[in-house]
Amino acid sequence: MQKRTLGNSNLEVSALGLGCMGMSFGYGPAGEKSEMIRVIRRAVERGVTFFDTAEVYGPFTNEELVGEALEPFRGEVVIATKFGWKPGADGSGRWSELDSRPEHIKAVAEASLKRLRVEAIDLFYQHRVDLEVPIEDVAGAVQDLIREGKVKHFGLSEAGVQTIRRAHAVQPVAALQSEYSLWYRQPEQDVLPALEELGIGFVPFSPLGKGFLTGTIDANTTFASSDFRNVVPRFSEENRQANQALVDVLTRIAHGFQATPAQIALAWLLAQKPWIVPIPGTTKLHRLEENVAAADIELTAAQLNEINAAVEGIEVQGARYPESSARLTGR
């Protein structure tokens, strides 16, 4: 697979990464461990060198899974993880409070190093902006970890432009991870121009619209009780029915390429900027193969114009997060 460099950093990764969250958390019951290890290692065989996890996924179990799966490939792959949440006092595993105090960041780094079985964290993201802690202090804490050799690169997730600029002035930000796809294009308004100006890479999560752009979800789909899409407004039955129009367009275009809607959605993202690296997640080997093959689809300017024109009149219905979570994004 082709490689890409995240912005002006020297962090080179595969053009597509692998989001590992769903293997342990978020989309229903966790996957069977040995099978998830098989999927991760198959991704390496297919040229994927960029893997995304976080302490909160599980919590902790996803980092442990990724660490075990990738231990044989140490030095050959890039692992990104995240800090910034405080575990709930009720022991339920729910992490509802932010915590980016410098001492907490450093404690999380030590724990993540052990779970990931690495000597340094390749990319350490602040998972969400914590308004109780100045971003300069957050950047300074990660800078300390970089100087100590425990972290290689600093990243932000779902941060707004002003936060990005303030953080970058203290410690260069290698990458921003935020949602971006044909299903959610708001980053095009101000985030992408700022990233290009500052030389920061962009890592779109949910590049397949949390599965919706694959064409395998419709108004009749039911989700497991522990699947967080049950509380996402965009996934209400009514909104899924309305949003089917976007998938119908993708399906029609994909047919002309002898490709799948998911592959066209990923190819479209890859064509936006050379420093964009999507991280689709999956728990299935055949979906991994499908996603990886998208990196070989090169859309021409005319084809991109055709896609943009086809989706221009479609307004996606429903918020991408419930109100309680939406307040944590774009700050």
Side-chain angles (χ1 to χ4, degrees):
M1 185 184 295
Q2 291 183 350
K3 298 289 185 69
R4 294 189 166 198
T5 301
L6 290 171
N8 292 341
S9 72
N10 61 357
L11 188 55
E12 187 181 67
V13 296
S14 51
L16 285 174
L18 178 64
C20 299
M21 180 188 84
M23 297 178 176
S24 307
F25 168 88
Y27 292 100
E32 201 279 318
K33 183 178 178 181
S34 62
E35 181 62 19
M36 297 304 96
I37 288 175
R38 187 176 171 219
V39 172
I40 292 171
R41 291 181 176 173
R42 177 57 179 161
V44 177
E45 292 172 3
R46 295 289 278 113
V48 176
T49 65
F50 189 33
F51 297 84
D52 185 86
T53 183
E55 62 162 359
V56 74
Y57 300 160
F60 307 126
T61 54
N62 197 247
E63 281 188 328
E64 293 167 352
L65 169 69
V66 170
E68 180 176 345
L70 294 177
E71 188 172 25
F73 310 102
R74 189 180 299 168
E76 302 173 29
V77 297
V78 170
I79 302 176
T81 193
K82 309 175 192 74
F83 64 85
W85 291 97
K86 180 164 60 177
D90 61 0
S92 66
R94 296 174 181 166
W95 294 36
S96 58
E97 296 182 41
L98 297 174
D99 188 351
S100 280
R101 292 170 299 135
E103 60 268 29
H104 182 67
I105 295 172
K106 294 177 181 181
V108 170
E110 296 291 349
S112 291
L113 285 168
K114 292 183 175 66
R115 288 190 289 268
L116 294 172
R117 307 185 187 191
V118 295
E119 295 179 359
I121 296 168
D122 295 304
L123 177 56
F124 205 30
Y125 292 107
Q126 183 190 36
H127 208 149
R128 291 292 185 271
V129 176
D130 184 350
L131 297 182
E132 299 299 316
V133 182
I135 194 62
E136 290 82 1
D137 293 353
V138 174
V142 177
Q143 185 176 72
D144 290 343
L145 290 166
I146 292 172
R147 287 171 177 164
E148 294 168 13
K150 296 175 180 177
V151 169
K152 295 181 181 178
H153 298 277
F154 175 37
L156 297 171
S157 181
E158 289 280 6
V161 170
Q162 294 309 311
T163 297
I164 295 167
R165 290 186 184 279
R166 288 168 55 197
H168 192 68
V170 175
Q171 169 61 41
V173 176
L176 174 75
Q177 180 181 132
S178 294
E179 185 169 358
Y180 180 43
S181 69
L182 280 165
W183 161 266
Y184 180 71
R185 298 180 64 171
Q186 189 171 341
E188 294 173 354
Q189 296 177 14
D190 58 355
V191 170
L192 288 182
L195 297 183
E196 187 154 38
E197 174 197 338
L198 297 171
I200 298 172
F202 190 41
V203 178
F205 70 77
S206 296
L208 298 176
K210 299 177 175 62
F212 194 79
L213 298 183
T214 64
T216 60
I217 296 172
D218 60 25
N220 299 316
T221 301
T222 58
F223 301 111
S225 60
S226 56
D227 192 314
F228 80 103
R229 286 173 292 189
N230 285 308
V231 298
V232 174
R234 194 163 287 192
F235 279 89
S236 72
E237 182 178 338
E238 180 182 4
N239 286 333
R240 274 182 278 156
Q241 186 169 357
N243 294 332
Q244 183 64 38
L246 179 57
V247 176
D248 291 344
V249 167
L250 275 179
T251 301
R252 176 177 57 78
I253 293 170
H255 182 74
F257 282 87
Q258 295 185 314
T260 66
Q263 289 172 332
I264 296 302
L266 291 172
W268 178 87
L269 268 177
L270 288 168
Q272 299 309 301
K273 298 290 181 181
W275 36 267
I276 288 179
V277 180
I279 50 167
T282 187
T283 60
K284 299 178 177 65
L285 282 170
H286 72 279
R287 291 298 182 197
L288 171 69
E289 298 290 348
E290 177 184 350
N291 293 343
V292 166
D296 295 326
I297 298 174
E298 294 187 16
L299 299 173
T300 65
Q303 290 164 339
L304 288 169
N305 288 337
E306 178 190 354
I307 293 171
N308 289 333
V311 302
E312 186 176 6
I314 299 173
E315 184 175 347
V316 177
Q317 300 298 309
R320 67 190 182 108
Y321 283 120
E323 189 175 347
S324 60
S325 298
R327 62 185 173 81
L328 300 174
T329 63
R331 302 193 296 187

